[in-house]
Amino acid sequence: MMTLFHWEKLSPTEFLQLQEYITYANKKLKDVLSEFTGDTNSGQYKQDEAIDFARFCTFINMYLVNVPEELCRHLFLSFLKKTGPPPTLGSISERNPSTVSENEASQLVRQATVDNGRRSMSQKSITSILNISDSGDLWLRQSFAEKGRSLLRRRSTDIQTGFISLKDVVCCLSLLEAGRPEDKLEFMFRLYDSDGNGILDASEIECIINQMMTVAEYSGWDVSELKPILEEMMQEIDYDSDGTVSLDEWKRGGLTNIPLLVLLGMDSTLTDEGTHLWRLKHFNQPAYCNLCLSILLGVGKQGLCCTFCKYIVHERCASRAPAHCILTYCKSRKVSHPMNHHWVEGNCAGKCDRCKKFIKAYNRVTGRRCRWCKITLHNRCASQVNPDCDFGEFREHILSPLHICPAVLGRKRRVQADLRDSETGDAGISEITDDGKQSTETGSVSGSLKIIPSSSSIPLLVFVNPKSGGKQGTRILRKFQYLLNPRQVYNVMCDGGFFPGLQFFKDLPRFRILCCGGDGTVGWLLDSMDKMNFEVRSPVAVLPLGTGNDLARCLRWGGGYDGENLRKVLHHISNSTVVMMDRWQIEFSSTDDTGDDVDPIPCDIINSYFSIGVDASIAHRFHVMRERHPEKFNSRMKNKLWYFEFGTSETLSATCKNLHENIDILCDGVALDFSTGPSLEGIAFLNIPSIYGGSNLWGDTPRLKKRKKTNQTSKDRDRECSSGSMSSSDLSLTLQDVGDNLIEVVGLLNCIHVAQVKGGIQAGRRLAQCSSVVIRTRRRFPMQIDGEPWMQPPCTIAVTHKNQVPMLMAPHASKKLSFFGFFRKQ
């Protein structure tokens, strides 16, 4: 089937989808390119030939996983080289050639004649042909119309016959890949340096700039503002004026062009003190440049804003902006003066915190705001305020720069003593450097920092998983870097996981931890803390960014972050209480030789729940389909519809029917008797009172009065073993708690029962509450631990108590008093 050829760009949704695929890519683009071209020399890439659609799909599938065919096709068309300008009438290219009128077809021929004639014909010949097409001769007009329809048929070619430049594709994708700007610049230079002579001419540099402009336009930049900046860089980049650009000139020009660095993706970690961390921002209200003091113009009022101090500049002014951003640590340990305000002038909407009058910031740069305590003042009121900064309402959470100093100032004597006592004389000390990496030095630790404990604050250590919650993780990372000291906020995907932050805070006697991510991210943090061997573990709060967020729900942090003010979250952390949460060790031992076709077990620790059977089967189907087609799972509503579809198919197929006949369970050494009860298709082991995204599978427990009455009537009743180590009457009155050293065992009748639990209509069938469990399965069953499913062959499973960890439980949500509730209270 022939596909009409359109020179269209990717839609914003498709571009975001492409960014998402690149974020989760398992390979580096440089490695994929070497593998694709068969060139093991990573220094040069000598592929000048164009590739067709089939090879393009092969390259994309080598780099990205399960990219949909429609996205591949649109991406290929966006790179397809134009042999000539497209028709000015956009509707012509989208219509059937037989339906094109004579005038439209003649216009198409005139345009093609002019475009081709400029290269092969004289101006006189072109003019004569155009005059013939405008003549009144009917035969000539019909001839030109048929020629135009034929030309349109040739342009409406199948994408299978098109070719694109592999260099352009790789250059564009490299801009979207994570990495340092200098590495991207060098990679793009060597990509277009085909002959390997170390220089590029003007046309090759222009190709790179064009790809940068394309990505900038997709990313929401105002290219009319960016284009002259890049053109100016093109003129200045040739420092020796020899007509070519060397690698040193290319990197020197690129690394000094701040808008280009933002486009390439500036590193979000701290480098030099006082250096701004720029990002592109679109303002929804009037904003002014802090350097030239003029208003930001253009669509969306685009400008560059510093993440750390909110200093705003035009893109053209960024290179001249002074490096007076905040200082995050103190270079001297002996500091007698207190912390001063760090003022940022302009763009201060709202009231003055001193005179309580509005700041008229809509017509000029006026007013000032302290970056640390967030106080906002008129310029005239600033002189009447104490210059000492107390860090404002979040002083309890902020790690003061005065309490961070180079570690060599506090450990110099200890280092010298260790070196003298060393037998070999080459012993070193392992430290954590500014960028969060561990290094071993011999006698010099000038690059490391340490925290001086303070009794006046309980600093908050923040970990953010930017891959959780769509783009919410990246926004939350930036907001916390502004609200707190950037040195106490860590990106777990770029900063080496949790260990750099935990090691940096390890010497503090008191601090709190905020984990921004899903239940899997919280489990990853708790495992990392186990390996750190803390003498006193710090409590952990959760900002839910995942899908189910069962752990966050039972700790009252909510079912998902919906964009609420992070100041409110910090207030909740201040008013939270510490609770101890159980964690369980789970061990698997295979009963027979199952071969190599075995799914890996995702983890060996249970933080939330472990289940076997029908619910795990639905989760496993969902997981397999999402791995194959991630583009079909890009919203919560679609995910719910997929769960409904898999639940319906599981109801019809009943793959786990009569599960109780192929499983044995020992609870505290007592076997559960399934012969007298209903047949089961699933069994769950609960550590927290939340599963399936907020459902209470254990069920509600009767109130205190009802429990006392039931206890009085059942005091003389014999204990039965039909439900394990406890009788049915005892289990109906048993409370579930996250820190009681007990795990709850619950049965699921079928898939409809799971749906009723999910809807809150019914609870599970309580089987036991115990401190250890042994499970033996006699056939292959789907299983899941904390939402991570897999298929498990016959085995023996042992669940034992591992430890207890402190967690922060949010305060009860304040209920709004209704109109009738007011009178009831009176």
Side-chain angles (χ1 to χ4, degrees):
M1 180 178 178
M2 299 293 288
T3 303
L4 291 181
F5 178 77
H6 305 301
W7 293 299
E8 295 177 349
K9 300 177 181 178
L10 294 177
S11 65
T13 303
E14 290 174 329
F15 181 71
L16 293 176
Q17 189 178 2
L18 178 63
Q19 284 183 308
E20 191 75 12
Y21 277 105
I22 293 176
T23 302
Y24 288 94
N26 296 323
K27 298 180 180 180
K28 289 293 184 182
L29 187 59
K30 182 170 63 174
D31 300 333
V32 175
L33 181 60
S34 300
E35 181 182 353
F36 180 76
T37 59
D39 185 8
T40 57
N41 181 16
S42 60
Q44 304 294 335
Y45 305 101
K46 303 178 180 179
Q47 62 291 336
D48 295 329
E49 71 279 4
I51 58 174
D52 57 6
F53 180 68
R55 294 201 69 197
F56 172 77
C57 291
T58 302
F59 176 79
I60 292 297
N61 290 327
M62 289 174 62
Y63 178 44
L64 308 176
V65 180
N66 296 325
V67 179
E69 184 180 355
E70 188 73 9
L71 180 60
C72 275
R73 188 171 65 85
H74 288 176
L75 186 61
F76 180 83
L77 290 176
S78 67
F79 283 104
L80 201 56
K81 295 291 185 182
K82 308 179 183 64
T83 56
T88 54
L89 295 177
S91 59
I92 298 179
S93 62
E94 299 178 2
R95 288 163 49 189
N96 192 323
S98 61
T99 63
V100 177
S101 64
E102 285 187 5
N103 292 334
E104 294 172 334
S106 299
Q107 183 177 353
L108 188 61
V109 174
R110 287 166 57 86
Q111 183 179 3
T113 302
V114 173
D115 296 334
N116 297 327
R118 290 194 180 107
R119 297 188 297 269
S120 59
M121 301 174 61
S122 64
Q123 184 64 32
K124 183 177 179 180
S125 302
I126 297 175
T127 305
S128 62
I129 291 177
L130 296 181
N131 289 336
I132 292 176
S133 67
D134 290 334
S135 65
D137 193 314
L138 180 62
W139 182 84
L140 289 176
R141 291 176 58 188
Q142 290 178 349
S143 176
F144 265 74
E146 183 60 31
K147 187 175 180 180
R149 295 189 183 99
S150 176
L151 178 62
L152 184 59
R153 292 190 190 97
R154 290 198 302 271
R155 284 191 173 180
S156 302
T157 56
D158 188 359
I159 63 172
Q160 304 295 338
T161 62
F163 290 87
I164 62 175
S165 171
L166 179 60
K167 289 183 178 181
D168 293 344
V169 176
V170 175
C171 181
C172 183
L173 295 179
S174 66
L175 293 172
L176 303 177
E177 191 178 45
R180 300 189 308 166
E182 51 267 33
D183 294 337
K184 293 183 181 181
L185 288 171
E186 183 176 356
F187 175 70
M188 287 185 287
F189 184 92
R190 299 193 183 280
L191 182 69
Y192 282 86
D193 184 18
S194 302
D195 52 5
N197 60 356
I199 59 173
L200 296 180
D201 57 22
S203 61
E204 293 171 327
I205 295 293
E206 187 176 358
C207 290
I208 299 177
I209 298 298
N210 289 336
Q211 297 305 319
M212 292 180 178
M213 294 291 294
T214 301
V215 175
E217 188 173 2
Y218 280 135
S219 301
W221 287 67
D222 184 4
V223 292
S224 62
E225 179 84 10
L226 181 63
K227 187 174 182 180
I229 297 176
L230 295 181
E231 290 178 348
E232 183 180 356
M233 186 193 76
M234 284 288 297
Q235 298 174 359
E236 299 177 353
I237 199 172
D238 188 9
Y239 293 98
D240 53 8
S241 302
D242 60 352
T244 59
V245 177
S246 64
L247 177 60
D248 292 337
E249 292 174 334
W250 169 247
K251 292 176 67 175
R252 195 189 320 167
L255 293 177
T256 56
N257 191 305
I258 292 180
L260 179 58
L261 287 176
V262 177
L263 177 62
L264 292 174
M266 292 186 68
D267 194 0
S268 60
T269 57
L270 288 168
T271 52
D272 298 330
E273 285 288 277
T275 303
H276 294 288
L277 179 63
W278 301 109
R279 70 180 183 91
L280 180 69
K281 184 175 181 180
H282 296 273
F283 299 90
N284 55 8
Q285 58 185 1
Y288 291 83
C289 175
N290 286 102
L291 188 69
C292 67
L293 307 183
S294 60
I295 193 171
L296 301 180
L297 301 175
V299 180
K301 302 177 183 64
Q302 172 185 293
L304 296 181
C305 178
C306 176
T307 301
F308 296 157
C309 66
K310 302 299 182 183
Y311 191 86
I312 300 171
V313 293
H314 290 101
E315 296 168 17
R316 61 179 180 269
C317 300
S319 59
R320 296 182 287 113
H324 55 39
C325 194
I326 60 171
L327 300 179
T328 59
Y329 73 95
C330 185
K331 296 182 180 180
S332 175
R333 188 174 184 179
K334 298 179 180 180
V335 179
S336 58
H337 61 83
M339 188 76 180
N340 293 330
H341 293 289
H342 183 95
W343 298 111
V344 178
E345 296 189 0
N347 305 299
C348 301
K351 291 184 178 181
C352 174
D353 288 313
R354 176 173 174 78
C355 65
K356 308 303 179 183
K357 294 181 180 179
F358 281 100
I359 300 175
K360 299 179 181 180
Y362 54 85
N363 57 356
R364 68 181 189 277
V365 177
T366 182
R368 57 180 58 186
R369 176 184 291 110
C370 176
R371 185 265 176 229
W372 290 109
C373 64
K374 309 300 184 291
I375 185 175
T376 304
L377 300 172
H378 288 104
N379 290 338
R380 63 179 181 271
C381 297
S383 59
Q384 306 173 20
V385 175
N386 189 346
D388 299 340
C389 181
D390 61 354
F391 296 100
E393 58 180 332
F394 302 123
R395 65 180 67 91
E396 177 187 8
H397 301 299
I398 295 177
L399 180 60
S400 172
L402 300 180
H403 296 153
I404 307 176
C405 68
V408 66
L409 300 179
R411 301 181 181 177
K412 184 176 180 180
R413 295 181 179 178
R414 185 173 60 84
V415 171
Q416 295 174 350
D418 291 341
L419 290 176
R420 286 195 304 267
D421 295 339
S422 176
E423 295 180 356
T424 60
D426 58 352
I429 288 189
S430 178
E431 299 293 345
I432 300 298
T433 59
D434 290 359
D435 55 1
K437 297 181 180 180
Q438 193 170 13
S439 63
T440 302
E441 307 179 26
T442 59
S444 175
V445 288
S446 58
S448 60
L449 298 175
K450 65 169 295 185
I451 302 177
I452 304 173
S454 173
S455 59
S456 60
S457 66
I458 309 176
L460 181 67
L461 174 59
V462 181
F463 293 107
V464 182
N465 186 351
K467 290 188 176 182
S468 298
K471 290 191 175 288
Q472 290 187 117
T474 304
R475 290 195 297 267
I476 289 173
L477 177 68
R478 292 197 304 260
K479 290 180 179 179
F480 274 123
Q481 286 178 332
Y482 177 69
L483 289 173
L484 307 173
N485 190 331
R487 292 199 180 272
Q488 61 187 112
V489 182
Y490 287 80
N491 181 345
V492 297
M493 304 306 297
C494 299
D495 297 339
F498 297 97
F499 288 108
L502 293 174
Q503 183 68 32
F504 187 46
F505 275 68
K506 186 176 182 180
D507 295 334
L508 285 182
R510 294 192 308 164
F511 67 94
R512 300 187 184 103
I513 300 176
L514 175 62
C515 183
C516 305
D519 290 347
T521 306
V522 179
W524 182 15
L525 169 62
L526 297 178
D527 291 342
S528 301
M529 295 180 70
D530 288 339
K531 298 175 182 178
M532 292 294 295
N533 297 321
F534 284 99
E535 294 182 4
V536 178
R537 295 184 66 135
S538 297
V540 179
V542 183
L543 183 63
L545 299 182
T547 304
N549 302 311
D550 290 298
L551 184 57
R553 291 175 189 270
C554 72
L555 295 174
R556 302 197 200 116
W557 294 108
Y561 177 74
D562 54 359
E564 64 178 332
N565 196 329
L566 293 182
R567 298 170 182 264
K568 184 178 179 181
V569 176
L570 294 178
H571 284 301
H572 286 338
I573 295 176
S574 299
N575 300 323
S576 60
T577 57
V578 178
V579 296
M580 302 303 295
M581 185 185 76
D582 296 322
R583 300 176 71 221
W584 300 83
Q585 184 79 39
I586 183 169
E587 297 177 352
F588 294 82
S589 57
S590 179
T591 58
D592 56 357
D593 187 9
T594 56
D596 297 332
D597 189 16
V598 178
D599 294 341
I601 299 173
C603 56
D604 59 352
I605 301 295
I606 302 175
N607 294 311
S608 301
Y609 60 88
F610 165 61
S611 66
I612 307 173
V614 57
D615 60 333
S617 177
I618 299 173
H620 185 259
R621 295 187 184 191
F622 179 88
H623 175 75
V624 171
M625 181 61 72
R626 185 171 58 180
E627 289 291 321
R628 293 177 180 174
H629 306 283
E631 74 280 358
K632 298 180 180 179
F633 299 83
N634 53 11
S635 69
R636 290 184 179 180
M637 181 56 66
K638 287 185 179 180
N639 293 350
K640 292 180 180 180
L641 293 176
W642 278 110
Y643 269 115
F644 176 77
E645 178 179 341
F646 294 138
T648 304
S649 61
E650 178 63 28
T651 303
L652 300 176
S653 59
T655 58
C656 300
K657 188 176 182 179
N658 296 327
L659 173 141
H660 60 283
E661 297 178 357
N662 296 280
I663 191 172
D664 298 324
I665 300 178
L666 296 176
C667 295
D668 292 336
V670 179
L672 295 184
D673 184 9
F674 298 112
S675 60
T676 58
S679 61
L680 301 177
E681 293 187 16
I683 296 176
F685 304 85
L686 308 177
N687 183 47
I688 62 174
S690 180
I691 193 174
Y692 312 146
S695 301
N696 189 353
L697 185 58
W698 183 253
D700 295 329
T701 303
R703 294 184 179 181
L704 182 61
K705 291 183 179 180
K706 189 174 181 180
R707 289 204 306 270
K708 289 182 178 179
K709 182 177 180 181
T710 308
N711 285 334
Q712 186 67 26
T713 56
S714 61
K715 186 174 294 184
D716 298 330
R717 188 176 300 175
D718 294 333
R719 296 177 60 88
E720 300 175 357
C721 295
S722 60
S723 59
S725 59
M726 300 182 68
S727 65
S728 300
S729 59
D730 291 334
L731 286 174
S732 63
L733 304 174
T734 302
L735 294 173
Q736 184 183 17
D737 189 78
V738 297
D740 56 1
N741 292 339
L742 297 175
I743 191 169
E744 289 74 32
V745 186
V746 185
L748 295 168
L749 303 182
N750 47 43
C751 193
I752 297 178
H753 188 197
V754 174
Q756 291 174 340
V757 172
K758 175 65 179 175
I761 302 174
Q762 193 173 353
R765 179 171 177 253
R766 299 185 181 185
L767 299 178
Q769 188 181 48
C770 51
S771 58
S772 64
V773 182
V774 177
I775 309 163
R776 297 187 183 93
T777 59
R778 290 186 287 274
R779 72 178 181 90
R780 188 182 182 92
F781 281 117
M783 301 182 184
Q784 65 172 336
I785 297 177
D786 295 346
E788 297 293 333
W790 80 100
M791 295 298 296
Q792 178 65 35
C795 64
T796 300
I797 308 170
V799 179
T800 56
H801 189 267
K802 177 180 175 62
N803 60 6
Q804 285 190 328
V805 294
M807 304 293 291
L808 289 176
M809 180 169 285
H812 287 283
S814 58
K815 297 182 179 180
K816 296 182 179 179
L817 190 61
S818 63
F819 178 77
F820 296 102
F822 174 77
F823 287 101
R824 282 198 298 267
K825 219 174 176 185
Q826 297 297 323

